[in-house]
Amino acid sequence: MSKRRFQFLDQLVEMYQKTRLPIHYEALAKAVGVSKWTAYDMLKEIERSGYVTRSYETNPNETGRSQVVFAPTAKAAELFRQQRLSALPAERWDETVREIRRLLDSMGQMSIQELLGQMLEEIPGKRSNLEFCGYIVGMLLAYLKQLGGKTESVIRALIRKTSGHHAGLLMFVGTVLGTAIQTVNEELGSEIAELVGEYVELLDGLTGGEQTLLSELVRETLA
């Protein structure tokens, strides 16, 4: 994909992640700073490559008329998964941690299924391996905090006794995943298991400092 097309797709994915709704090409044009016709033509080219899909929805401003909207496909999600940054600026990690903690603080306002679903929606938009792993850890922390009681206490104790950040992070996700897939619905459990598998693959590629940041997130949340 050309750099120009990637720019348009990148902006479309970012807008879609915020609203979870298909994007009108005129809105994309304003965000990128081009004419609506340039945006439309570019999206048609990207569509031919399989990265976006086109649909029609009722135009709220014109009764009886529909408008063309676009949404990223699974192929686009895979592209951005492969394009994730290998490094993440410190301020971006701080922002990620704040967002994860905000979601954890909202647990009392939604069911665990709703919370996990919301976090799963956030994960595909993460643009670095550390952010991706952070959201996987955050998702499992949310599940564990919801369980509370003896399960949380046992895992907290295991974390404290495990030496090394890498070993502790593997132990944490493996233990919590083993509990989660027995209690959530099959579809959600399969999606979580697939993402955790990707997390395990990425963990080995993180620097020692990045693994320390993840480990601190776990330990501080369970403190």
Side-chain angles (χ1 to χ4, degrees):
M1 175 179 287
S2 70
K3 184 176 180 180
R4 183 64 167 163
R5 291 182 185 178
F6 187 85
Q7 177 190 7
F8 276 79
L9 180 59
D10 183 35
Q11 185 63 53
L12 179 75
V13 169
E14 182 176 338
M15 294 170 71
Y16 180 80
Q17 287 293 332
K18 291 179 179 178
T19 64
R20 307 307 300 177
L21 295 171
I23 307 300
H24 188 258
Y25 60 88
E26 191 168 351
L28 178 65
K30 291 179 181 178
V32 178
V34 299
S35 73
K36 63 181 181 180
W37 304 120
T38 297
Y40 183 67
D41 290 341
M42 183 64 73
L43 285 169
K44 286 197 299 182
E45 292 178 16
I46 297 173
E47 181 186 25
R48 284 193 284 270
S49 299
Y51 292 106
V52 299
T53 182
R54 186 189 337 186
S55 60
Y56 299 86
E57 63 179 26
T58 302
N59 187 337
N61 299 317
E62 298 183 45
T63 304
R65 297 195 62 180
S66 60
Q67 60 183 8
V68 183
V69 292
F70 294 84
T73 63
K75 184 177 179 181
E78 176 63 17
L79 173 66
F80 282 99
R81 185 188 71 79
Q82 296 172 356
Q83 293 285 337
R84 288 196 198 106
L85 301 173
S86 58
L88 183 71
E91 61 273 16
R92 283 285 300 278
W93 173 247
D94 291 340
E95 181 182 335
T96 298
V97 171
R98 284 195 296 272
E99 179 61 18
I100 291 172
R101 295 200 185 285
R102 184 190 67 78
L103 288 168
L104 291 173
D105 289 341
S106 69
M107 286 191 301
Q109 304 168 17
M110 62 182 79
S111 70
I112 187 59
Q113 301 276 356
E114 291 172 331
L115 181 59
L116 292 179
Q118 184 173 336
M119 298 193 83
L120 285 171
E121 288 181 355
E122 297 281 348
I123 288 170
K126 299 303 110 181
R127 302 304 174 84
S128 77
N129 291 338
L130 179 56
E131 275 186 302
F132 175 88
C133 290
Y135 263 81
I136 296 298
V137 165
M139 179 178 61
L140 295 177
L141 280 169
Y143 175 78
L144 183 59
K145 296 294 285 185
Q146 189 80 5
L147 286 179
K150 185 177 180 180
T151 302
E152 183 180 352
S153 299
V154 169
I155 292 180
R156 184 189 300 118
L158 286 173
I159 293 275
R160 289 173 179 169
K161 293 179 180 179
T162 304
S163 61
H165 297 305
H166 184 273
L169 289 166
L170 285 177
M171 185 280 301
F172 169 75
V173 296
T175 306
V176 180
L177 176 63
T179 304
I181 59 177
Q182 297 179 49
T183 56
V184 299
N185 64 58
E186 183 176 351
E187 182 179 354
L188 188 58
S190 296
E191 188 170 1
I192 292 173
E194 182 177 344
L195 288 170
V196 168
E198 187 176 347
Y199 163 93
V200 172
E201 292 180 5
L202 293 176
L203 187 61
D204 286 338
L206 296 182
T207 66
E210 289 172 329
Q211 291 180 19
T212 298
L213 291 174
L214 282 176
S215 183
E216 288 175 349
L217 174 61
V218 173
R219 292 173 184 270
E220 290 172 5
T221 304
L222 294 180

